[in-house]
Amino acid sequence: HVQLVESGGGSVQSGGSLRLSCAASGITYSSTCMGWFRQVAGKEREGLATIDRNGRASYRGSVLGRFTISQDNDKNTLYLQMNMLKPEDTAMYYCAVEFGLYEVCSSSWGMPDLFRNWGQGTQVTVS
């Protein structure tokens, strides 16, 4: 049973930084694709970045250069370093994991419906 628990959200001023963490457990399959997504109430979930088991990362254009996805395979933890935050980055942030996506992982940030395993989310507010 896969469990994902996000942490690290909070309130920050425009231009500030936050580092989100996602602790994963119950993952026994090696071919993982993990990603960060966000959602504003009333809007569709938006993909931000994905990373495969080998550390290959892909990003949504609007966050490239500001956000960095990374993972610690030993700790089974996914991270999202967010710099130069803007008010429009305010949202609930979710991590997700899917298995067996292989090369599709690099484009899967744009396809949140591919992911079946989600955390509960952590709120980020930028003012």
Side-chain angles (χ1 to χ4, degrees):
H1 176 62
V2 175
Q3 284 193 315
L4 303 171
V5 180
E6 300 97 334
S7 61
S11 296
V12 65
Q13 291 190 336
S14 181
S17 299
L18 282 174
R19 187 196 196 201
L20 305 183
S21 298
C22 171
S25 61
I27 294 178
T28 57
Y29 193 57
S30 62
S31 179
T32 57
C33 177
M34 300 196 74
W36 285 100
F37 301 80
R38 67 187 179 191
Q39 189 169 24
V40 175
K43 295 188 177 182
E44 290 188 356
R45 192 163 292 189
E46 176 180 81
L48 301 175
T50 53
I51 188 167
D52 67 15
R53 190 67 175 180
N54 295 316
R56 289 172 294 200
S58 299
Y59 296 89
R60 182 182 200 89
S62 62
V63 303
L64 186 63
R66 296 193 300 127
F67 293 5
T68 302
I69 189 171
S70 63
Q71 62 190 0
D72 185 328
N73 291 335
D74 291 336
K75 295 181 178 179
N76 289 326
T77 302
L78 180 71
Y79 301 100
L80 186 69
Q81 177 67 43
M82 304 187 295
N83 299 326
M84 296 181 286
L85 284 163
K86 307 173 182 179
E88 51 263 43
D89 293 318
T90 296
M92 185 71 78
Y93 283 68
Y94 299 89
C95 67
V97 64
E98 191 48 71
F99 310 105
L101 293 184
Y102 301 105
E103 65 275 8
V104 178
C105 183
S106 62
S107 57
S108 61
W109 57 263
M111 297 177 278
D113 289 345
L114 287 180
F115 292 80
R116 292 172 291 176
N117 305 283
W118 294 85
Q120 83 291 346
T122 184
Q123 177 68 37
V124 171
T125 302
V126 185
S127 59

